[in-house]
Amino acid sequence: MNYNWNWGIFFEPSPEGTGTYADMLLSGLVWTIATALSSWVIAFFLGSLVGVMRTLPSKAANAVGTAYVELFRNIPLLVQMFLWYFVLPEVLPQSWGNALKQLPNAPFYTGVVCLGFFTASRVAEQVRAGIQSLPRGQGLAGTAMGFTVYQTYRYVLLPNAYRVILPPMTSEFLNNLKNTSVALTIGLLELTARARSMQEFSFQVFEAFTAATILYVLINLFVIVLASLLERSVAVPGQR
Amino acid sequence: MTSTPMPAPTATTPVAPGSVAPSDSGLQSGPLTSPPPRIATGTPMIAIDNVSKWYGDFQVLTNCTTQVAKGEVVVVCGPSGSGKSTLIKCVNALEPIQKGQITVNDTKVVDKATDLPKLRSRVGMVFQHFELFPHLSITENLTVAQRKVLKRPAEEAKKKGMDLLARVGLSAHADKYPGQLSGGQQQRVAIARALAMNPVVMLFDEPTSALDPEMVGEVLDVMVELAKEGMTMMVVTHEMGFARKVADRVIFMDRGEIVEDARKEDFFGQPRSERAQQFLSKILQH
Amino acid sequence: MFSNFDFGVVFGSLPYLFGTGMVFTVTLTALAAGMGVVLGTLLAMARLSGVPGLKHVAKVYVELMRSLPLVLVIFWFYFLVPYIGAYLTGASRPIQVGAFSSALITFTLFEAAYFSEIMRAGIQSIPKGQTGAAYALGMTYAQTMITVVLPQAFRNMLPLLLTQTIVLFQDTSLVYVLSLTDFLGAASKVAQRDGRLVEMYLFAAVVYFAVCFSASFLVRRLQRRVAIIR
């Protein structure tokens, strides 16, 4: 194989003139993490809401929840990214559309919203499964004690459901984190995009991708450790 | 009995019901002529020699030694967790042992040179939960190992399977799937499946304990029939009625040890160990 | 709202979108799913084999693939495959690998990690007594796997394997980053050429939705039917 390895490349200045290639990758990492965390906030709350709706007795709530999940689950994330970025500003009233187009950091905000809505559909499925895995008597007991529906969910069902679904929620969080790379197609300079530009500038393709790979693996490990700590700290004594 | 290299004793050939069964085993009442325990004439079919087994630090079998002679029916009983199921699974190496040796039909089980699939193909086993293959029809269950392991032609395997299915009285169910049969029927098919391999010995691991009470009889009937025909059998069971009827010897196990190994008459007459006495009094109360 | 949009551009480009784009997408999905399931099953067997080296290699491979974004993996293989090809053929320069082959290799290797997790769960879901019974009948490891364990595991896992294939169908749209002409790539090229992004992307979304929604509906119906009678 005729490939000229050059691991020193990371300490050479990048042609952008703002630091070394290593700095370039690290700034990508920061954007990846910022996008992942911001979109997770949307995904978590919106997903919980949709998931709860699918467990309510109301037919209408159910239908809305189901429609949401089916819509966002059956369109590729990349297409959704394009819809938010290219299509939405055109179909909104003109003044709104123009405002969107002039938004600074548009790729970041678009990416966050798109990922948030996309991941929410997956979170919703987990939340629904978690609630449905609880014994039926739990909800009835809540109602029997005079809780409103909201209170039953808030104090009885959700606290237990979240504990049950913590492991699959961890993988959804990691999926969301990996999916941030799809936002490079709308110009977000996250980690994969930065590795790609480093490759284009320096031609040291394998060093760039290796560094990105290691960074992704490290974040994964970090999240897994964090999740198991969280799992332990919220575990209810005497259960499982 | 075609194309099998090992000379199987005539007694083990599954013969049609009604044909002459050897008279030196099975329902024999004269205690004077039955062989004394542990000392079998000729080479034993199964020799378990000083076998110990651990799961991690936990010892499940401790220095177990016993033998099963050709044509002999040996019942193994004991409280749950006594290691009896583990012991019988060691005979065909479904469970590895850490110490000792087991010899089946002159083949060492603990030996790297032993062709375990070949050995197992001559040792029939019937499981507590039947373990028919749920994705295969009854006919396929009866023929799959004949064809893949013994390399019998499809026609021959099918004929053999159908003959045995008729013997256990289930010919009408040949094209069904295991899930469509009752537990008792499934277990009878499982016995037929094991017999289809022309085994020299049959192992039964609690064959009736997962069955509803009304189905126990039909399975025991098949086993009694088999014993009468002279099949060598090692049977883990709580069915003391079966033991009284057809066993030559009874082995009692407790906490991984063989506590008592006696002729049936002696075991039911006056068990020597206190533990066996307690066990018998509990199990025979009802 | 849509008054100044021209959906005629969609109709004009239908032969291109489906004849070129969708054929690419479906072929890539079908081949990668087929090969991915085979490789994934082998990886699952390796992980469950208990053979020290083999077990660990399979585990590291699966975990590594699952912790990387698909986009990065696509880039990796796009650049790596020519070098591997050169290494395998002994050529002195990176060899040219067609865009389709490169994508096929990427998706097969990537999805195999996900299929392997499904098959691992499937194999583990088969009761130990089933393998015991197969061994007791004298079957070898290979015979036990092929005639007893894998058919049941595959059947139990079929709905999950198909669902993962629908995900793969959606994921193939990411070959966009290599400027390949899959269904989305074709739509995107027409969109750029005619300046009709809104119409083309909306149409692409509708088509993907229709395909995936009907496919998952069928999978759910299948799921109710395949459950093995026990």
Side-chain angles (χ1 to χ4, degrees):
Chain A
M1 282 216 294
N2 294 334
Y3 180 79
N4 297 314
W5 293 97
N6 175 14
W7 290 102
I9 186 75
F10 295 110
F11 305 104
E12 290 172 23
S14 80
E16 288 181 334
T18 52
T20 62
Y21 280 114
D23 294 331
M24 194 166 124
L25 286 181
L26 288 179
S27 95
L29 179 65
V30 170
W31 280 109
T32 289
I33 292 171
T35 311
L37 290 178
S38 316
S39 57
W40 182 252
V41 173
I42 299 177
F44 183 82
F45 287 103
L46 183 58
S48 297
L49 180 70
V50 174
V52 165
M53 283 169 82
R54 294 195 73 184
T55 64
L56 290 174
S58 150
K59 278 220 167 79
N62 242 294
V64 172
T66 307
Y68 182 93
V69 170
E70 293 298 340
L71 183 65
F72 283 89
R73 203 170 52 173
N74 286 312
I75 298 176
L77 176 58
L78 179 56
V79 176
Q80 294 188 32
M81 209 56 95
F82 288 171
L83 292 181
W84 288 101
Y85 194 70
F86 297 116
V87 176
L88 184 68
E90 304 296 334
V91 298
L92 285 176
Q94 203 165 22
S95 56
W96 293 23
N98 287 340
L100 271 186
K101 285 183 208 168
Q102 282 151 16
L103 201 67
N105 274 332
F108 172 71
Y109 294 115
T110 312
V112 165
V113 171
C114 175
L115 278 167
F117 277 66
F118 175 79
T119 307
S121 69
R122 310 181 57 109
V123 168
E125 282 301 88
Q126 302 297 351
V127 169
R128 176 176 72 105
I131 293 173
Q132 286 175 346
S133 77
L134 302 176
R136 240 176 71 82
Q138 289 280 301
L140 295 179
T143 314
M145 288 171 67
F147 281 157
T148 63
V149 173
Y150 170 79
Q151 287 171 323
T152 306
Y153 275 91
R154 169 68 184 78
Y155 298 111
V156 182
L157 297 178
L158 284 176
N160 282 316
Y162 283 133
R163 284 185 171 87
V164 173
I165 61 173
L166 213 139
M169 286 286 264
T170 307
S171 15
E172 291 304 345
F173 181 86
L174 288 171
N175 284 337
N176 184 60
L177 184 125
K178 287 179 278 172
N179 281 334
T180 55
S181 64
V182 175
L184 69 80
T185 56
I186 58 169
L188 181 68
L189 297 176
E190 47 68 67
L191 181 52
T192 302
R194 297 316 254 165
R196 177 89 162 110
S197 22
M198 174 173 164
Q199 166 257 320
E200 278 173 344
F201 292 142
S202 71
F203 301 106
Q204 299 305 126
V205 44
F206 297 128
E207 291 87 339
F209 291 166
T210 302
T213 299
I214 291 171
L215 288 174
Y216 278 114
V217 169
L218 287 180
I219 316 178
N220 268 272
L221 292 176
F222 180 72
V223 171
I224 289 167
V225 169
L226 216 59
S228 65
L229 288 179
L230 181 64
E231 198 169 350
R232 216 170 302 162
S233 75
V234 300
V236 179
Q239 284 199 334
R240 277 196 295 169
Chain B
M1 293 301 291
T2 55
S3 76
T4 41
M6 225 178 296
T10 49
T12 63
T13 311
V15 282
S19 54
V20 185
S23 59
D24 61 349
S25 70
L27 269 183
Q28 194 169 48
S29 52
L32 293 174
T33 56
S34 66
R38 287 164 187 257
I39 307 155
T41 46
T43 6
M45 185 60 77
I46 301 173
I48 297 172
D49 185 19
N50 206 22
V51 165
S52 294
K53 177 179 173 64
W54 288 262
Y55 285 126
D57 290 338
F58 180 69
Q59 186 157 15
V60 278
L61 293 178
T62 309
N63 304 329
C64 295
T65 300
T66 189
Q67 295 181 345
V68 179
K70 274 183 185 133
E72 202 178 18
V73 176
V74 173
V75 163
V76 184
C77 63
S80 56
S82 59
K84 54 195 192 302
S85 277
T86 308
L87 181 66
I88 201 171
K89 286 196 182 101
C90 293
V91 172
N92 61 350
L94 288 186
E95 294 278 358
I97 57 176
Q98 282 78 42
K99 213 186 106 209
Q101 182 59 278
I102 297 176
T103 312
V104 178
N105 202 24
D106 294 329
T107 307
K108 286 196 175 86
V109 171
V110 187
D111 186 348
K112 282 234 154 53
T114 297
D115 181 355
L116 277 181
K118 190 170 175 213
L119 171 77
R120 287 166 176 153
S121 72
R122 306 302 315 254
V123 178
M125 185 160 209
V126 176
F127 295 82
Q128 181 178 4
H129 295 288
F130 334 133
E131 303 301 351
L132 295 179
F133 304 131
H135 61 302
L136 302 179
S137 72
I138 299 303
T139 307
E140 289 166 329
N141 262 284
L142 289 166
T143 54
V144 64
Q146 292 189 63
R147 290 172 47 208
K148 307 251 172 190
V149 177
L150 302 181
K151 313 286 180 206
R152 284 186 186 148
E155 278 308 304
E156 189 192 333
K158 180 153 187 200
K159 184 173 181 313
K160 177 100 192 163
M162 291 306 103
D163 286 352
L164 285 161
L165 197 58
R167 259 190 77 189
V168 296
L170 293 171
S171 297
H173 302 284
D175 296 324
K176 290 190 179 165
Y177 282 81
Q180 295 170 299
L181 301 190
S182 73
Q185 290 171 327
Q186 288 191 56
Q187 195 61 301
R188 280 146 68 197
V189 173
I191 294 173
R193 178 175 73 176
L195 290 175
M197 305 296 284
N198 289 28
V200 294
V201 53
M202 286 283 288
L203 308 175
F204 292 83
D205 182 11
E206 306 208 28
T208 57
S209 51
L211 294 173
D212 291 334
E214 74 270 21
M215 293 171 182
V216 170
E218 62 190 80
V219 171
L220 289 181
D221 286 346
V222 173
M223 291 167 62
V224 169
E225 195 66 33
L226 208 54
K228 283 186 189 165
E229 286 159 17
M231 174 62 80
T232 310
M233 291 164 66
M234 186 167 172
V235 185
V236 173
T237 187
H238 292 297
E239 296 292 336
M240 288 302 125
F242 172 81
R244 277 180 192 280
K245 203 164 168 188
V246 296
D248 298 303
R249 269 173 40 231
V250 178
I251 291 172
F252 174 75
M253 290 185 70
D254 193 16
R255 290 173 220 158
E257 286 175 280
I258 293 181
V259 178
E260 190 127 356
D261 184 345
R263 286 191 310 183
K264 168 178 68 182
E265 295 74 14
D266 297 338
F267 183 78
F268 288 113
Q270 64 276 0
R272 274 162 292 186
S273 73
E274 201 177 315
R275 280 189 275 180
Q277 283 169 16
Q278 279 174 357
F279 176 77
L280 270 182
S281 71
K282 270 183 207 155
I283 209 161
L284 294 178
Q285 256 170 15
H286 309 288
Chain C
M1 187 166 81
F2 290 101
S3 54
N4 49 353
F5 296 133
D6 171 18
F7 284 91
V9 68
V10 173
F11 295 107
S13 56
L14 283 181
Y16 177 61
L17 287 179
F18 285 93
T20 305
M22 193 51 101
V23 167
F24 182 101
T25 297
V26 170
T27 315
L28 179 59
T29 305
L31 291 178
M35 288 158 48
V37 168
V38 173
L39 181 60
T41 304
L42 293 174
L43 282 168
M45 284 164 64
R47 267 192 94 168
L48 295 171
S49 68
V51 180
L54 192 64
K55 181 172 87 176
H56 296 118
V57 169
K59 182 179 157 73
V60 168
Y61 177 84
V62 170
E63 296 301 332
L64 177 66
M65 279 299 173
R66 278 161 32 97
S67 61
L68 296 182
L70 177 52
V71 179
L72 179 64
V73 177
I74 290 174
F75 286 141
W76 251 121
F77 283 108
Y78 182 72
F79 290 100
L80 193 60
V81 167
Y83 282 93
I84 296 175
Y87 175 76
L88 290 179
T89 58
S92 58
R93 305 159 148 271
I95 59 166
Q96 287 294 313
V97 178
F100 182 80
S101 312
S102 174
L104 181 57
I105 292 169
T106 305
F107 279 91
T108 300
L109 294 178
F110 184 77
E111 294 295 332
Y114 288 83
F115 284 127
S116 115
E117 286 299 272
I118 297 174
M119 286 310 291
R120 188 162 69 109
I123 293 169
Q124 283 177 320
S125 75
I126 307 303
K128 240 191 115 201
Q130 287 282 304
T131 41
Y135 286 136
L137 286 166
M139 291 190 193
T140 58
Y141 172 79
Q143 286 171 330
T144 302
M145 286 313 268
I146 292 167
T147 58
V148 176
V149 177
L150 290 181
Q152 293 186 63
F154 195 77
R155 209 168 149 166
N156 292 350
M157 291 296 133
L158 190 58
L160 283 180
L161 291 171
L162 288 174
T163 302
Q164 183 62 33
T165 304
I166 297 173
V167 172
L168 167 62
F169 176 76
Q170 296 188 16
D171 281 350
T172 56
S173 64
L174 289 172
V175 298
Y176 171 89
V177 300
L178 301 179
S179 308
L180 300 187
T181 311
D182 72 319
F183 181 69
L184 181 63
S188 171
K189 277 169 190 163
V190 175
Q192 313 282 348
R193 185 194 67 197
D194 298 352
R196 291 291 173 189
L197 271 62
V198 174
E199 293 86 341
M200 292 313 292
Y201 288 145
L202 276 177
F203 179 68
V206 169
V207 171
Y208 274 112
F209 180 82
V211 172
C212 297
F213 182 77
S214 345
S216 17
F217 177 77
L218 291 176
V219 171
R220 273 195 296 265
R221 283 212 4 205
L222 177 78
Q223 195 159 18
R224 267 174 255 142
R225 285 180 44 190
V226 293
I228 289 181
I229 326 157
R230 274 206 178 262

